[in-house]
Amino acid sequence: MRDGTIAIAGASLAALRGAEALRANGFSGRLILVGDEPHLPYDRPPLSKHILTGEIPPGATTLPGVGALRAEWRLGTPVAGLDRAGRALLLADGGRVAYDRLLVATGARARPWPAPGEARLAGVHTLRGRDDAAALAADLEARPGPVLILGAGFIGCEVASSLRSLGRPVTVVDPAPAPLAQALGRVVGGFIAGRMEAAGVDLRLGVEVAHLEGDRAVRRARLSDGGTIEAGLVVVALGAVRNTDWLAGAGLDADEGGLSCDGACRALEADGRPVPEIFAAGDVARCPHPLYGGRPVALEHWGNAVAQAAHAARAMLDGPDSIGAYAEVPAFWSSQFGLNIKSLGLTEGADAVAIVQGSPRAGRFLAVYGRAGRTVAAVSVNAGRWLPAYEGPIRDGAPFPPITGGADQPRPDPVPPGLPAPTAA
Ligand SMILES: Cc1cc2nc3c(=O)[nH]c(=O)nc-3n(C[C@H](O)[C@H](O)[C@H](O)COP(=O)(O)OP(=O)(O)OC[C@H]3O[C@@H](n4cnc5c(N)ncnc54)[C@H](O)[C@@H]3O)c2cc1C
């Protein structure tokens, strides 16, 4: 079906790429994108990197391709609810957007500091959008002195790297035993920890912040071990919450972990049946992944938003049977502390990791992760050239440890990766 009206809830990366794929595949009908941010789609990865360092202005992150879409944009307008019987988005300003088919692309938001009164103290920030980055950059000017970062995940570490490159004193606190431990495990995370400390980050691992204290503006953090850290600026980087609140009461299988979908990106009813006219893509979507035993997986990767939106668009136009299950190998990148980190596959649940090329001592290596004797993921650090060779083995679930033997390839010596215990699927 290539006519009628398609509405897209959300107006960022997955929304734009979905809209582009709809048009590229011949959709000639009405296309309406509704976004709560006042901006046309822009890129988020630079927000924690080049925007904070001042290398590029926030406005320079706008994504190209908007003009060619022949789309209607309702920006600065949150979607507040869904009228499934009437097939309409209910807007916070009282308006309605009727649709024949709907693409849900509302992404995720930064998980806030759990104590609202403390989160409201001046100088406390989260980082998800362009306006957050601009506010943080302005506060960096206004509040000189040490910065405290809560959370050593990708965004926390990238912000730490950007701020150290500006010469700011930075403390990073995380209850995990290593930075990036959730995604990469303790072995690779331990290497990153060394780089962070060498760059002057005061890294406090295995400890939590219990409270943020201050009078109107934040002044210090009180730690779970009784210690305190003085800081007039705090960046809360505690992960993301999927934007599904507006779907409450719509009868779909949605919660803060995402909107459940089938392999064709069709949203699922609470009882698991697919809804023919509602699709989802990007950070908000939780789709079964054939490479991981059909387990529902919600990713927060730029590449996933792009590929999944294109997949959903094809399924919307040609029907779910015209296209196989979404099976893109998950991929992301990060740059921090002079390291270019790239990843393929999912490390979650891996029981072993082996350095198969290069070495941490050389500052350049490739780590392969295995689960029950099968290759499930690979991570390169300053060695992106070596990574693509592992896409096939991950896709095929090739035996782990991989067979190597090149001149610069050490004999794989698998060790436990130090990942958190897998959560029940
Ligand atoms: C600081 C930062 C750095 C990152 N760096 C990397 C990186 O280096 N590599 C990588 O692979 N990935 C990175 N990512 C992740 C990547 O940017 C995301 O995976 C990608 O933005 C997901 O796109 P999306 O369109 O699904 O969701 P989003 O980009 O979150 O877009 C969703 C849009 O929907 C809007 N919305 C939400 N609720 C509503 C509503 N009710 N009504 C209307 N609109 C709504 C949101 O405000 C937003 O504009 C980074 C993310 C951040 C925040």
Side-chain angles (χ1 to χ4, degrees), residues 12 26 69 73 133 209 213 336 354 359 365 372 384 388 421:
S12 191
L69 281 176
W73 297 85
V209 168
E213 297 176 349
Q336 49 182 282
S359 74
F365 60 93

Side-chain angles (χ1 to χ4, degrees), residues 348-371:
E348 193 187 314
D351 52 31
V353 63
I355 307 293
V356 300
Q357 275 179 274
S359 74
R361 187 174 306 171
R364 167 164 205 261
F365 60 93
L366 190 118
V368 177
Y369 295 73
R371 181 178 191 171

Side-chain angles (χ1 to χ4, degrees), residues 104-327:
V104 176
T106 43
R109 61 183 180 275
R111 185 181 295 282
W113 179 246
E118 297 174 17
R120 277 196 296 273
L121 289 169
V124 178
H125 292 259
T126 54
L127 178 57
R128 178 75 199 181
R130 181 188 271 181
D131 295 343
D132 300 332
L136 177 54
D139 231 8
L140 282 164
E141 297 266 318
R143 297 171 201 275
V147 180
L148 172 62
I149 297 173
L150 310 189
F154 280 103
I155 290 178
C157 289
E158 289 179 1
V159 171
S161 171
S162 299
L163 299 190
R164 282 306 301 142
S165 74
L166 296 173
R168 290 297 282 257
V170 173
T171 302
V172 177
V173 178
D174 197 299
L180 309 177
Q182 180 86 25
L184 306 184
R186 232 173 19 241
V187 172
V188 175
F191 168 79
I192 313 269
R195 282 302 184 103
M196 292 176 78
E197 287 178 329
V201 174
D202 176 7
L203 192 55
R204 310 279 186 97
L205 298 168
V207 66
E208 279 180 74
V209 168
H211 293 289
L212 297 175
E213 297 176 349
D215 175 19
R216 301 235 298 252
V218 69
R219 290 190 50 189
R220 77 181 66 78
R222 192 161 294 279
L223 303 179
S224 51
D225 65 5
T228 55
I229 296 172
E230 301 293 317
L233 222 158
V234 172
V235 182
V236 178
L238 300 176
V241 181
R242 267 71 190 179
N243 290 318
T244 55
D245 329 33
W246 63 279
L247 291 168
L252 301 175
D253 181 15
D255 53 43
E256 72 162 46
L259 169 59
S260 298
C261 304
D262 68 4
C265 301
R266 285 181 300 181
L268 300 183
E269 303 270 10
D271 65 8
R273 282 175 302 128
V275 182
E277 74 281 7
I278 304 180
F279 295 74
D283 283 13
V284 75
R286 178 170 55 197
C287 291
H289 205 299
L291 291 184
Y292 301 95
R295 183 163 56 82
V297 168
L299 299 168
E300 290 171 46
H301 302 165
W302 191 95
N304 175 66
V306 170
Q308 204 169 42
H311 192 89
R314 289 280 310 281
M316 285 175 106
L317 295 181
D318 296 329
D321 300 331
S322 65
I323 190 163
Y326 180 71

